[in-house]
Amino acid sequence: MSDDFIVETRELTKEFKGFVAVRDVSLRVRRGTIHAMIGPNGAGKTTCFNLITKFLAPSKGRILFKGRDITAARPADIARMGMVRSFQISAVFPHLTVLENVRVALQRKLSNSFHFWRSDRTLARLNEQALGLIEAVGLSEFPAVPAAELPYGRKRALEIATTLALDPEMLLLDEPMAGMGREDIERISALIRKVAANRTVLMVEHNLSVVADLSDTITVLQRGEVLAEGPYETVSRNPEVIEAYMGTGHA
Amino acid sequence: MRLYWIALAVAAVAAVFAPTVLYPVFLMKALCFALFACAFNLLLGYVGLLSFGHAAFFGFAAYATGHAAKVWGWNPEFAVLAGTAVATGLGLAFGALAIRRQGIYFAMITLALAQMVYFFSLQAPFTHGEDGIQAIPRGELFGLFDLRNTETMYFFVLAVFAGGLWLIWRTVHSPFGQVLKAIRENEQRAVSLGYKVDHYKLTAFVMSAALSGLAGSVKALVFQLASLTDVHWHTSGEVVLMTLLGGMGTVLGPVVGAFLVVTVQNYFATFGAWVTIIQGVIFVVVVLLFRRGIVGELNALWLRLRRRSVPAATTPPAAARPGVEPAAHEPPPRKRRVGEGS
């Protein structure tokens, strides 16, 4: 069973001082699929996300990644195990260049990251790999530009390149399309589909056409609980979902 | 790049001949504080952590060196090493406690711990309370160089300063430094990339403490005195001032800042209490006019001029040259308020 499902949560619950943000969520993400979490504002999507990546500790419940219990692991450990997340607010290193942004991610595997007596020119051997990733996300014109100077959509692309540099088995994308124009959405959608070819993707996304287009499975959350789950066709016909979300959101 | 070597050569020549023009003790004091400020800046400028307790490392190392040289009769090289080692240990203890917090909380914890060191120094018998440790013998370096000779002492201080500055420069431009900058820029993201940021921050904190200790130890030999002034929070504040004046997040900024502050203290000493006011005015002016500090502004100006002088048509976009580092040798100092941890 754990072969099929790369991530499993069991009765995951998170309380914030009496307010239950996530209640008994048992989620199973099938290996090699694109799985989306949707739901109205405050449904607990981002909390769920933070629980799975260990940026928050659950009040109750367990989380399994590749069959291993990671409920007590720390965020950096999760990343090392092959599950890497993005953030809602674009997460780049603003004053590092595009190349340096990607290289910082590649650098971790060199295990020279504590070498303060060495020149950073030793990192140049990562350049080729970094430039390849930069090209893959369509930023090949900008490797020497500080990340802060990129337009928003390109920052997100850079973020994805940085995430891919870790070659994660599993990608967690927190609203990858938030605040993007149509053109950027198309580019990033294509990119997500490309990188999902040999990976598992779990994403939170508001843009329903993107979700419908990309995902194999959709989990609908409402008030911290799972309302429905399944492929878009099934979920979108579920009367409860239509009432709770689609009715207003899809119009 | 060539320009950098020329500047370095000019600086080296100036440093060698400076004591013939300027008062050597003044120069030595400035060099000690410059090293101290550079060590402090390693933490503030490159990790984004504002410590308000660095006087503890500087001052307590001075006591350790003074005690080792005077009471135990150690050679200066061992006395200085002892002071540095004590500061390193202190840094490890402080860092382990403070590193988990950010911003103002980090500053407050370091301040509280440093105050503990201050009151310990006030009470402990070996520090001699208000008197301090006086008449610390300078001794003979490696049994060869008589440091009682002011000129020899000056070159010893200069060598320590150059070595310390080189180490900081090396650290900033190393694979480790690259991770530090990433943590400074976006800590959460660094975590999500799998970096155990606490380990990196602690390592940087200990390095900063050790180098501050080195500066304090040498200062104890220069003045042959280790006193409460060095562990007082004023000193912690002064090093913040020097770093911000010169430009945090630049390797040379703190050196410029330290020379400026020490100059004001020494050459305007005749103005008495006005010194503090002059310092305050300079600080206000710098903060208002040059938010990146003196060196930070010069760097920015230099970058602007370079961009303008290279016509866009003749060069491929900077981007098209893979592997070419961006023009900046320093990260552009951020316009964020001091005290914000991340």
Side-chain angles (χ1 to χ4, degrees):
Chain A
M1 175 132 116
S2 55
D3 264 357
D4 277 358
F5 297 108
I6 187 162
V7 165
E8 253 191 280
T9 68
R10 294 192 184 149
E11 289 163 13
L12 205 57
T13 298
K14 177 69 188 176
E15 274 183 57
F16 294 104
K17 293 189 175 156
F19 167 70
V20 184
V22 171
R23 187 195 303 276
D24 291 337
V25 170
S26 297
L27 194 72
R28 291 196 295 196
V29 180
R30 198 178 285 275
R31 193 183 286 271
T33 60
I34 301 184
H35 192 129
M37 277 197 282
I38 62 169
N41 281 333
K45 304 177 298 281
T46 295
T47 309
C48 239
F49 219 73
N50 285 335
L51 289 171
I52 294 172
T53 47
K54 311 310 305 163
F55 275 73
L56 280 175
S59 316
K60 192 164 79 69
R62 291 173 61 202
I63 305 164
L64 281 83
F65 179 54
K66 294 194 274 184
R68 279 174 64 187
D69 192 320
I70 56 162
T71 316
R74 288 187 302 172
D77 299 325
I78 304 292
R80 282 155 185 259
M81 288 170 69
M83 172 154 71
V84 180
R85 68 167 294 175
S86 72
F87 293 83
Q88 221 170 74
I89 308 156
S90 116
V92 294
F93 302 115
H95 292 111
L96 302 186
T97 64
V98 168
L99 180 69
E100 286 171 324
N101 263 272
V102 177
R103 221 168 49 181
V104 162
L106 291 170
Q107 188 190 334
R108 209 199 72 220
K109 290 190 179 153
L110 283 186
S111 67
N112 68 353
S113 296
F114 277 104
H115 292 186
F116 58 81
W117 56 90
R118 281 217 156 121
S119 166
D120 52 10
R121 265 176 250 142
T122 55
L123 297 174
R125 62 189 151 128
L126 297 173
N127 284 359
E128 202 179 319
Q129 203 187 343
L131 289 169
L133 288 157
I134 289 167
E135 203 188 326
V137 299
L139 291 176
S140 44
E141 288 165 51
F142 312 102
V145 175
E149 291 176 16
L150 292 177
Y152 185 77
R154 298 211 186 263
K155 274 187 197 150
R156 306 277 343 203
L158 172 60
E159 196 189 331
I160 291 176
T162 309
T163 306
L164 289 177
L166 299 177
D167 195 17
E169 277 184 78
M170 171 138 197
L171 275 172
L172 287 95
L173 306 173
D174 194 357
E175 298 198 24
M177 313 295 176
M180 273 192 194
R182 186 182 297 269
E183 196 184 315
D184 283 329
I185 288 182
E186 274 163 29
R187 180 166 354 140
I188 302 291
S189 285
L191 188 61
I192 291 176
R193 191 173 295 120
K194 193 162 111 192
V195 303
N198 49 357
R199 294 188 174 82
T200 313
V201 175
L202 173 63
M203 63 177 185
V204 166
E205 183 51 56
H206 271 304
N207 188 320
L208 283 178
S209 64
V210 168
V211 170
D213 187 36
L214 282 177
S215 26
D216 302 300
T217 313
I218 295 171
T219 301
V220 185
L221 291 175
Q222 192 194 14
R223 295 198 201 97
E225 292 178 76
V226 176
L227 189 66
E229 193 172 275
Y232 183 74
E233 295 74 41
T234 325
V235 168
S236 60
R237 276 191 224 112
N238 183 321
E240 275 186 285
V241 174
I242 293 170
E243 194 193 323
Y245 187 63
M246 306 289 189
T248 51
H250 206 229
Chain B
M1 204 61 208
R2 201 185 306 142
L3 200 74
Y4 270 81
W5 288 111
I6 295 170
L8 201 65
V10 170
V13 172
V16 168
F17 289 102
T20 55
V21 186
L22 294 160
Y23 181 47
V25 175
F26 156 75
L27 286 171
M28 289 191 273
K29 181 181 176 189
L31 286 173
C32 289
F33 274 99
L35 179 58
F36 182 29
C38 288
F40 172 80
N41 181 48
L42 181 63
L43 206 55
L44 178 63
Y46 293 98
V47 199
L49 289 172
L50 172 65
S51 158
F52 215 81
H54 258 51
F57 311 127
F58 184 75
F60 210 69
Y63 278 128
T65 299
H67 190 76
K70 189 179 178 186
V71 181
W72 297 337
W74 288 14
N75 275 354
E77 64 273 18
F78 290 116
V80 166
L81 276 180
T84 311
V86 166
T88 310
L90 213 54
L92 195 61
F94 277 30
L97 287 168
I99 222 77
R100 283 157 214 288
R101 295 283 170 269
Q102 281 157 8
I104 194 76
Y105 302 101
F106 177 84
M108 286 299 114
I109 292 172
T110 47
L111 174 62
L113 291 168
Q115 284 303 94
M116 283 167 62
V117 170
Y118 174 80
F119 285 109
F120 177 80
S121 306
L122 187 63
Q123 300 292 335
F126 82 97
T127 59
H128 302 284
E130 303 278 355
D131 297 337
I133 303 176
Q134 296 178 2
I136 298 167
R138 284 180 180 173
E140 291 178 347
L141 187 69
F142 307 121
L144 292 172
F145 305 104
D146 189 353
L147 296 182
R148 277 162 294 190
N149 178 323
T150 308
E151 202 162 287
T152 318
M153 186 69 204
Y154 171 76
F155 283 106
F156 171 57
V157 176
L158 187 63
V160 169
F161 167 77
L165 195 65
W166 177 82
L167 182 64
I168 290 167
W169 178 84
R170 174 78 289 159
T171 304
V172 166
H173 297 97
S174 74
F176 176 68
Q178 197 68 23
V179 179
L180 289 186
K181 282 177 228 169
I183 293 172
R184 174 194 72 186
E185 300 271 298
N186 193 334
E187 183 169 343
Q188 293 286 37
R189 181 55 171 167
V191 170
S192 84
L193 293 180
Y195 286 108
K196 298 186 172 172
V197 296
D198 282 354
H199 297 195
Y200 290 87
K201 285 184 184 172
L202 184 59
T203 308
F205 191 95
V206 172
M207 284 183 82
S208 173
L211 287 165
S212 302
L214 177 63
S217 297
V218 174
K219 197 212 145 209
L221 290 185
V222 170
F223 287 94
Q224 305 184 277
L225 171 73
S227 73
L228 283 173
T229 319
D230 298 339
V231 278
H232 196 263
W233 64 266
H234 275 173
T235 305
S236 294
E238 221 154 60
V239 80
V240 178
L241 180 74
M242 290 169 181
T243 307
L244 292 185
L245 280 182
M248 71 169 177
T250 64
V251 171
L252 288 180
V255 179
V256 173
F259 269 81
L260 193 68
V261 170
V262 172
T263 307
V264 169
Q265 284 172 351
N266 270 42
Y267 286 86
F268 296 119
T270 41
F271 295 108
W274 284 92
V275 172
T276 327
I277 294 171
I278 294 170
Q279 252 184 40
V281 169
I282 292 179
F283 188 54
V284 169
V285 168
V286 167
V287 168
L288 287 179
L289 294 182
F290 322 110
R291 288 178 54 185
R292 297 179 250 224
I294 295 164
V295 173
E297 289 296 336
L298 287 175
N299 265 349
L301 186 71
W302 166 244
L303 275 182
R304 264 205 306 279
L305 288 177
R306 246 174 69 155
R307 269 193 197 177
R308 201 170 301 164
S309 68
V310 181
T314 56
T315 39
R321 291 165 288 158
V324 174
E325 288 290 315
H329 289 264
E330 305 305 333
R334 295 151 309 142
K335 283 183 185 164
R336 72 178 197 198
R337 281 162 295 153
V338 182
E340 277 176 357
S342 64

